[in-house]
Amino acid sequence: LTDFGKEVVLEMNRLGMLVDLSHVSVQTMSDALDTSLAPVIFSHSNAYTIYQNTRNVPDHILDRLKKNGGIIMVVFYSKFVCGSEPCERKHVVEHIRYLVDRIGSDHVGIGSDFDGCDELPEGLENTSRYPDLIQDLIECGYSELDIEKIIGGNILRVLLNAEQVAKKLQTPCSS
């Protein structure tokens, strides 16, 4: 990030806006994590270790995301899940499992991207298939609490934390 970019991140923190890193380079991910005072998000990205695509997040950034308190929201777009190979719901579950194992269930969510892509895994063609995805997570052994966090609780926590950071940054210093 340039100095101006760092100012923008800090202003976003002051306003309570989430800093979304899904469309940026690895260097920008790192710079934003160095700068942000609030949790950041990857609104629709996956694990680079599972499928090497520039949209996906490498392990060293995932580790920093955990320390930041942010969230990575798993995208369903087949090209980011498994590339040109035939893609199924189980491949999305593989990304979720890897991410939870790597950074914990507090930092993983669902980003789907139904409105931004045209190729979806078999078994995740639309929101009517969410119960199947949740059943897969149950079968993987995730607790009800972990699943609640993954399907919405974590993004609500991140939003709340961003608001709390904004309130602190907007409070004048007392003399």
Side-chain angles (χ1 to χ4, degrees), residues 132-150:
D132 300 327
L133 178 61
I134 293 167
Q135 183 61 42
D136 290 343
L137 298 178
I138 291 167
E139 290 172 7
C140 288
Y142 292 110
S143 69
E144 185 176 332
L145 178 59
D146 285 338
I147 293 169
E148 287 174 4
K149 291 188 287 189
I150 292 168

Side-chain angles (χ1 to χ4, degrees), residues 24 26 45 63 66 93 110 132 141 149-150 154 157 162 166-167 173:
V24 303
V26 173
S45 297
D63 297 339
K66 178 179 180 176
V93 173
I110 303 296
D132 300 327
K149 291 188 287 189
I150 292 168
N154 287 334
R157 173 190 52 80
K167 285 179 184 172
C173 296

Side-chain angles (χ1 to χ4, degrees), residues 50 81-82 86-97 121-124 133 136 140:
I50 300 297
V81 175
C82 46
C87 201
E88 300 175 20
R89 187 178 65 243
K90 70 180 180 181
H91 296 109
V92 171
V93 173
E94 182 181 7
H95 280 274
I96 294 170
R97 290 182 68 181
E122 182 180 330
L124 274 176
L133 178 61
D136 290 343
C140 288

Side-chain angles (χ1 to χ4, degrees), residues 6 9-10 23 26 30 42 45 54 58-59 64 70 75 88 95 100 118 129-131 140 147 169-170 172:
K6 292 174 185 176
V9 167
L10 293 172
H23 286 269
V26 173
S30 184
F42 290 88
S45 297
T54 57
D59 287 349
R64 295 189 61 202
V75 65
E88 300 175 20
H95 280 274
V100 170
D118 57 359
R129 303 306 296 266
Y130 271 20
C140 288
I147 293 169
L169 293 174
Q170 293 170 12

Side-chain angles (χ1 to χ4, degrees), residues 10 13-16 36-39 159-171:
L10 293 172
N13 290 166
R14 190 187 70 77
L15 295 171
S36 186
L37 303 173
L159 286 163
L160 179 63
N161 289 349
E163 286 180 2
Q164 291 169 342
V165 168
K167 285 179 184 172
K168 286 180 186 172
L169 293 174
Q170 293 170 12
T171 303

Side-chain angles (χ1 to χ4, degrees), residues 32-83:
L33 283 162
D34 287 342
T35 304
S36 186
L37 303 173
V40 301
I41 69 167
F42 290 88
S43 63
H44 51 300
S45 297
N46 289 328
Y48 186 85
T49 295
I50 300 297
Y51 182 71
Q52 287 76 45
N53 181 286
T54 57
R55 172 66 62 86
N56 295 340
V57 184
D59 287 349
H60 72 283
I61 297 293
L62 291 171
D63 297 339
R64 295 189 61 202
L65 177 69
K66 178 179 180 176
K67 290 177 186 163
N68 165 268
I71 183 174
I72 179 170
M73 301 177 73
V74 174
V75 65
F76 300 168
Y77 183 41
S78 295
K79 299 262 187 231
F80 301 149
V81 175
C82 46

